[in-house]
Amino acid sequence: MATELEEKVDVNWDDLTFSATPTKSIYLTTCKEDGQWKPGELIPYGDISISPAAGVLNYGQGLFEGMKAYRTSKGNIGIFRPSENAKRVNSGCRRLCMPEIPEELFWDAIRLVVKDNEEYIPPIGKGALYLRPLVFGSGPVLGVKPAPEYTFLIYVSPVGPYFKGAMSGIHLKVVENFHRAPQYGTGGVKAIGNYAGGMYPARLVKTEEFSEVVYLDAREEKYIEEVGAANFFLIKGDVLASPELDGSILPGIIRKSILHLAGTEFGYKVEERKVHVDEIFEGDEAFCSGTAAVITPIISMTYRDRKMIYCDGEVGKKTMELYDGLMQLLLEQRDDPYGWLETI
Ligand code: PLP
Ligand code: COI
């Protein structure tokens, strides 16, 4: 029998994938180049019009964020560490010469759009409402310089797992000759332009039945950087290692949270350092993390002609312990001594 939620919106909660479903409304506001952001408004979900000379269309002056709203076991709507997203937006705005967004305005915008689209938040256990804030140069500009006007909008979509069959684990290929980001580029912020370049290597490895690409550092091609659009972790004994943030790796909020949980609650020695690609052949378990990916177990990693299979091809127990620890926080199934979950 259809639940009350299912009757309200036309979404099949049992079949959610990571794809865009139209919802009720979008949050939108604008700002002149040297101006202040005005509090925005909700507009009906749909296409927006934009100048053909917009900075974002011509020169990629834009960034995005990714957040999730979950229904929690206490009947609240929970959002994980939104002030971290607000800070990351602003570090991206500085790097891309866009006006920074006051944290208060960012959080008001999130609350407004989530409340208005509440019916699209999946029932507990079925997925989440993915929030996609975008900040971009919407004003016309022909020379390569900052646009005269900016738009901040947030659209939302109910989503399921980022990787197909995520919880049974994924198979990855370490690529050479394709890099995600150079050291002093924009890899450390969520610049829109960081992502299109990854589509071709991802397409290539998917034809070989891999789920995603693992990037090495652009300077020496020796050290693991990221798993497509997720951060990488390797477990060996009681050590949990993740590549250090050196400017080319996106400082993931789930990454930061896992490192904290692993060190304080799960007894790991946490190491943020360079992770040499050869180390993948010595690890006990590996996984990747992100808002979209949550914690996704890695079953195998292939580098050149060598393939490492973790835990005899099963999902790692230690990975699942960390997954459960994180999910319990996200779903208010345990105390949150860190004050990470904001409810609305
Ligand atoms: N790495 C990249 C390149 C990303 O785009 C993302 C997604 O935001 C992540 C890692 C994970 O970051 P977070 O945990 O903040 O979602
Ligand atoms: C996220 O995890 O939220 C991301 O932004 C990664 C990806 C969907 C691009």
Side-chain angles (χ1 to χ4, degrees):
M1 214 169 82
T3 64
E4 209 180 301
L5 268 171
E6 275 167 326
E7 281 160 9
K8 282 190 186 162
V9 295
D10 187 19
V11 178
N12 179 357
W13 303 119
D14 291 318
D15 211 12
L16 287 174
T17 57
F18 195 82
S19 52
T21 300
T23 56
K24 183 178 169 201
S25 59
I26 295 172
Y27 172 94
L28 191 137
T29 183
T30 58
C31 177
K32 297 284 179 217
E33 187 178 358
D34 298 316
Q36 306 283 323
W37 291 97
K38 307 181 280 290
E41 55 179 25
L42 296 171
I43 57 167
Y45 188 99
D47 295 350
I48 53 165
S49 72
I50 191 161
S51 162
V56 67
L57 293 183
N58 290 261
Y59 303 119
Q61 193 192 16
L63 59 76
F64 71 94
E65 264 303 327
M67 306 163 74
K68 277 178 175 169
Y70 286 95
R71 290 189 191 280
T72 76
S73 58
K74 292 191 178 158
N76 293 315
I77 298 168
I79 302 190
F80 194 61
R81 309 188 78 176
S83 70
E84 293 290 324
N85 297 89
K87 288 190 188 89
R88 193 167 63 187
V89 162
N90 285 330
S91 98
C93 285
R94 286 191 291 280
R95 180 67 180 82
L96 300 174
C97 294
M98 305 194 289
E100 290 181 41
I101 298 177
E103 200 170 315
E104 219 20 64
L105 189 143
F106 181 83
W107 180 227
D108 285 348
I110 295 288
R111 278 199 304 246
L112 198 63
V113 74
V114 170
K115 273 196 170 301
D116 201 48
N117 290 280
E118 185 174 345
E119 291 165 355
Y120 288 90
I121 308 176
I124 190 163
K126 304 273 182 183
L129 187 71
Y130 189 73
L131 319 180
R132 178 45 69 83
L134 296 172
V135 186
F136 56 92
S138 43
V141 61
L142 196 54
V144 181
K145 59 182 184 195
E149 190 177 290
Y150 295 85
T151 296
F152 166 37
L153 70 76
I154 309 171
Y155 71 93
V156 302
S157 175
V159 294
Y162 184 60
F163 293 107
K164 209 166 128 201
M167 288 329 286
S168 18
I170 55 173
H171 298 267
L172 302 177
K173 181 165 185 181
V174 180
V175 290
E176 296 173 275
N177 305 326
F178 293 108
H179 297 137
R180 195 189 85 90
Q183 191 172 8
Y184 301 119
T186 55
V189 298
K190 279 180 78 80
I192 284 170
N194 292 343
Y195 294 81
M199 293 176 191
Y200 182 63
R203 175 179 282 178
L204 289 181
V205 302
K206 281 175 189 169
T207 63
E208 298 176 76
E209 307 294 322
F210 293 105
S211 313
E212 191 43 283
V213 161
V214 178
Y215 291 106
L216 297 179
D217 72 289
R219 187 174 282 188
E220 297 182 75
E221 275 203 335
K222 277 192 201 157
Y223 304 104
I224 304 278
E225 294 248 307
E226 300 208 45
V227 177
N231 294 116
F232 178 73
F233 293 81
L234 192 68
I235 301 176
K236 185 170 168 57
D238 63 352
V239 172
L240 177 70
S242 189
E244 69 189 4
L245 304 176
D246 63 355
S248 56
I249 292 175
L250 201 272
I253 296 161
I254 303 296
R255 172 189 179 279
K256 180 174 173 175
S257 310
I258 292 167
L259 291 172
H260 191 83
L261 281 178
T264 54
E265 296 189 15
F266 290 87
Y268 283 96
K269 286 189 199 114
V270 167
E271 296 180 357
E272 291 183 77
R273 57 167 171 82
K274 289 191 190 308
V275 177
H276 195 286
V277 61
D278 288 344
E279 290 184 54
I280 65 177
F281 299 101
E282 288 151 23
D284 302 330
E285 296 185 27
F287 63 90
C288 64
S289 81
T291 299
V294 193
I295 286 180
T296 302
I298 298 172
I299 299 291
S300 78
M301 293 182 78
T302 299
Y303 173 57
R304 298 186 175 166
D305 56 358
R306 294 171 73 194
K307 180 172 190 164
M308 175 67 187
I309 299 176
Y310 297 99
C311 305
D312 297 322
E314 301 288 322
V315 167
K317 288 198 175 59
K318 293 179 172 176
T319 299
M320 286 316 290
E321 261 171 28
L322 291 168
Y323 173 85
D324 290 340
L326 179 69
M327 282 313 294
Q328 283 161 10
L329 275 173
L330 292 172
L331 300 178
E332 274 196 304
Q333 288 168 337
R334 50 155 285 186
D335 290 342
D336 172 14
Y338 316 110
W340 285 343
L341 198 74
E342 298 287 343
T343 55
I344 55 177

